[in-house]
Amino acid sequence: MLISDFPLFPEQGSTVAGQVDALFIVLSVITGSVSILIFLLIFILAIKYRRTPQNQLAQDQEPPQMLEAGWIGIPFVIFMGMFVWGAWLYFRLARIPDNALDVYATGKQWMWKFQHSTGQREINTLHVPVGRPVRITLASEDVIHSLFFPSFRIKADVLPSRYRTMWFQATRTGRFHIFCAEYCGTQHSGMIGWVEVMEPTDYQKWLAGGSEGSLASQGEKLFQTHACNTCHTNDATARGPVLVGLYGSDVTLGDNSVVKADDNYIRESILNPQAKLVKGFGPIMPTFQGQVSEDDLLKLLAYIKSLGGAPAPSPAGTPQKEQRR
Ligand code: CUA
């Protein structure tokens, strides 16, 4: 086998993969050459200045000032360069494009469950379109997992206590590995899967193939099953706050502080309603901790998102065109 056949890196499958690799290679080359230089100098200087009959005691010697300035100045410039480059890439990875397609992932000992806005569900396989940003909202049923797409060069911890998001934009169709990158129990190594990157038309066809209604409409059903609708009517005088237009808005709490109604706020308000009481409402909502699975929580979240700021919510419409955040 030729050395060139050996894949040192997984293939590059996302818009950020090339940048991540370039930064990684530059960092490795810089730190590697500095290490080699240091070990070489230790070796050479130890021999050169070894104890001899003429050289019994160490002598103090002032280094030339230019040398001193050099070993302060050059590393400073290199470090600042690495910092600026790293920060630029970090922000690029952290900033989710507005037109991202929403996918929901739940980690569980030991499998990955994915849900699409249209209601399709899959286990250990994720279908996505090529050339379109995909935002994944992550939740865990049990312990900390980490969703890792080696070909996309992205990885994010999946936490049992709150939502996190990650995104990628695939640049080529094909089948790429998914791994769990956080030790999570005996079957951790088996918590693997595949992401299938498809042409947009194939993806639309795949989406059209059967589901139990959109994620939001499944959430709406749960909203009724858990009798949430008895208090959260759309009447401002009801026992629970109005949820239409809630997502992404600012909420004033009992102590007059203001919080943003984001994914984690909504999650907390379902599991621990007393934590952040909306101004003017009493602590009457029961907790749903332990009664709603992570998958169902994501459905409820999708439903509440679908109520957005839109005057007439129709979550069952054409969710693949959904542009809301
Ligand atoms: Cu899940 Cu390791």
Side-chain angles (χ1 to χ4, degrees):
M1 190 178 98
L2 287 170
I3 193 79
S4 61
D5 290 339
F6 178 69
L8 199 56
F9 285 72
E11 52 189 322
Q12 299 178 339
S14 79
T15 47
V16 298
Q19 278 295 329
V20 173
D21 286 356
L23 181 61
F24 177 79
I25 289 167
V26 168
L27 288 182
S28 304
V29 167
I30 291 176
T31 50
S33 6
V34 170
S35 306
I36 291 169
L37 180 72
I38 288 172
F39 279 103
L40 270 179
L41 284 175
I42 290 175
F43 192 68
I44 293 167
L45 297 179
I47 292 172
K48 187 171 175 203
Y49 294 106
R50 71 189 182 279
R51 190 153 73 172
T52 57
Q54 301 82 38
N55 185 21
Q56 284 290 331
L57 278 177
Q59 284 142 42
D60 201 12
Q61 219 176 3
E62 276 291 305
Q65 275 196 340
M66 280 311 287
L67 184 65
E68 210 165 345
W71 76 50
I72 293 171
I74 294 169
F76 177 77
V77 170
I78 292 174
F79 282 135
M80 287 314 284
M82 297 196 300
F83 166 71
V84 170
W85 189 1
W88 173 83
L89 188 54
Y90 175 84
F91 283 116
R92 195 169 165 206
L93 289 165
R95 211 173 284 136
I96 301 171
D98 284 340
N99 61 341
L101 187 78
D102 264 315
V103 172
Y104 300 86
T106 313
K108 186 185 170 200
Q109 285 170 322
W110 287 275
M111 63 175 84
W112 293 108
K113 297 194 279 183
F114 298 102
Q115 304 190 91
H116 298 257
S117 308
T118 43
Q120 267 82 0
R121 287 189 285 173
E122 38 187 349
I123 290 178
N124 292 342
T125 308
L126 171 63
H127 289 79
V128 293
V130 69
R132 164 117 197 242
V134 176
R135 171 186 33 213
I136 308 182
T137 303
L138 305 154
S140 167
E141 292 273 9
D142 34 48
V143 299
I144 301 177
H145 303 274
S146 183
L147 184 56
F148 181 28
F149 297 92
S151 300
F152 301 161
R153 307 292 192 273
I154 53 157
K155 177 168 71 176
D157 277 8
V158 182
L159 306 172
S161 51
R162 65 191 176 91
Y163 293 131
R164 290 202 57 196
T165 48
M166 71 197 299
W167 77 279
F168 62 81
Q169 179 171 334
T171 49
R172 55 164 78 179
T173 56
R175 208 157 173 259
F176 306 98
H177 276 293
I178 296 175
F179 291 123
C180 177
E182 177 76 44
Y183 182 71
C184 55
T186 45
Q187 295 296 313
H188 157 71
S189 61
M191 200 167 160
I192 52 179
W194 296 95
V195 53
E196 300 269 1
V197 181
M198 312 165 88
E199 290 295 343
T201 47
D202 294 339
Y203 177 70
Q204 289 308 331
K205 254 182 248 158
W206 180 82
L207 274 186
S211 84
E212 305 146 50
S214 75
L215 207 58
S217 71
Q218 293 180 46
E220 188 176 13
K221 278 189 207 110
L222 285 169
F223 196 75
Q224 284 150 11
T225 322
H226 289 289
C228 312
N229 55 339
T230 54
C231 293
H232 295 283
T233 63
N234 284 332
D235 180 353
T237 60
R239 278 181 292 172
V242 173
L243 301 182
V244 172
L246 167 72
Y247 189 74
S249 68
D250 288 329
V251 178
T252 310
L253 304 182
D255 60 359
N256 284 322
S257 59
V258 175
V259 293
K260 172 130 344 252
D262 59 7
D263 296 4
N264 279 310
Y265 168 81
I266 288 166
R267 178 197 167 84
E268 182 181 53
S269 298
I270 296 170
L271 298 180
N272 184 12
Q274 263 55 287
K276 293 194 176 75
L277 280 177
V278 178
K279 194 181 171 82
F281 291 90
I284 54 166
M285 177 168 158
T287 172
F288 285 85
Q289 189 95 51
Q291 297 176 47
V292 188
S293 71
E294 290 296 335
D295 289 358
D296 285 353
L297 269 176
L298 288 168
K299 288 174 191 161
L300 285 168
L301 177 68
Y303 170 60
I304 292 168
K305 270 187 189 176
S306 76
L307 298 175
S314 60
T318 48
Q320 58 265 48
K321 291 211 187 72
E322 189 174 295
Q323 300 276 318
R324 276 184 226 113
R325 307 199 33 159

Short mmCIF file of all heavy atoms in Angstrom, two decimals, residues 233-242 281:
data_model
loop_
_atom_site.label_atom_id
_atom_site.label_comp_id
_atom_site.label_asym_id
_atom_site.label_seq_id
_atom_site.Cartn_x
_atom_site.Cartn_y
_atom_site.Cartn_z
N THR A 233 -54.66 29.12 26.91
CA THR A 233 -55.55 29.45 25.80
C THR A 233 -54.96 30.72 25.20
O THR A 233 -53.98 31.26 25.72
CB THR A 233 -56.97 29.74 26.31
OG1 THR A 233 -56.89 30.89 27.15
CG2 THR A 233 -57.52 28.58 27.11
N ASN A 234 -55.50 31.18 24.11
CA ASN A 234 -54.94 32.40 23.54
C ASN A 234 -55.62 33.65 24.07
O ASN A 234 -55.60 34.70 23.46
CB ASN A 234 -54.98 32.34 22.01
CG ASN A 234 -53.89 31.43 21.51
OD1 ASN A 234 -52.85 31.27 22.17
ND2 ASN A 234 -54.11 30.80 20.38
N ASP A 235 -56.18 33.48 25.26
CA ASP A 235 -56.89 34.58 25.90
C ASP A 235 -55.96 35.20 26.94
O ASP A 235 -55.41 34.50 27.79
CB ASP A 235 -58.14 33.98 26.57
CG ASP A 235 -58.97 35.03 27.27
OD1 ASP A 235 -58.51 36.20 27.36
OD2 ASP A 235 -60.06 34.68 27.75
N ALA A 236 -55.76 36.48 26.87
CA ALA A 236 -54.82 37.16 27.77
C ALA A 236 -55.25 37.07 29.24
O ALA A 236 -54.43 37.26 30.14
CB ALA A 236 -54.66 38.61 27.36
N THR A 237 -56.52 36.76 29.49
CA THR A 237 -56.97 36.67 30.89
C THR A 237 -56.93 35.23 31.41
O THR A 237 -57.36 34.94 32.51
CB THR A 237 -58.41 37.19 31.03
OG1 THR A 237 -59.25 36.38 30.19
CG2 THR A 237 -58.52 38.64 30.63
N ALA A 238 -56.41 34.30 30.60
CA ALA A 238 -56.37 32.89 31.01
C ALA A 238 -55.37 32.68 32.15
O ALA A 238 -54.62 33.58 32.51
CB ALA A 238 -55.99 32.02 29.81
N ARG A 239 -55.37 31.44 32.68
CA ARG A 239 -54.50 31.15 33.83
C ARG A 239 -53.02 31.07 33.44
O ARG A 239 -52.14 31.21 34.28
CB ARG A 239 -54.93 29.85 34.49
CG ARG A 239 -56.11 30.05 35.43
CD ARG A 239 -56.48 28.74 36.08
NE ARG A 239 -57.04 27.81 35.10
CZ ARG A 239 -57.31 26.54 35.37
NH1 ARG A 239 -57.04 26.04 36.56
NH2 ARG A 239 -57.85 25.77 34.45
N GLY A 240 -52.75 30.77 32.17
CA GLY A 240 -51.36 30.69 31.71
C GLY A 240 -51.09 31.76 30.67
O GLY A 240 -52.01 32.22 29.99
N PRO A 241 -49.83 32.16 30.52
CA PRO A 241 -49.49 33.19 29.53
C PRO A 241 -49.84 32.72 28.10
O PRO A 241 -49.81 31.53 27.81
CB PRO A 241 -47.97 33.35 29.67
CG PRO A 241 -47.63 32.79 31.00
CD PRO A 241 -48.65 31.74 31.30
N VAL A 242 -50.14 33.68 27.25
CA VAL A 242 -50.40 33.40 25.83
C VAL A 242 -49.10 32.97 25.17
O VAL A 242 -48.05 33.57 25.41
CB VAL A 242 -50.96 34.68 25.14
CG1 VAL A 242 -51.07 34.46 23.64
CG2 VAL A 242 -52.32 35.03 25.73
N PHE A 281 -48.38 36.20 36.84
CA PHE A 281 -48.89 34.84 36.91
C PHE A 281 -48.38 34.14 38.17
O PHE A 281 -47.24 34.33 38.58
CB PHE A 281 -48.48 34.04 35.67
CG PHE A 281 -49.18 34.51 34.43
CD1 PHE A 281 -48.62 35.51 33.64
CD2 PHE A 281 -50.41 33.98 34.06
CE1 PHE A 281 -49.28 35.96 32.51
CE2 PHE A 281 -51.07 34.43 32.93
CZ PHE A 281 -50.51 35.43 32.15
#
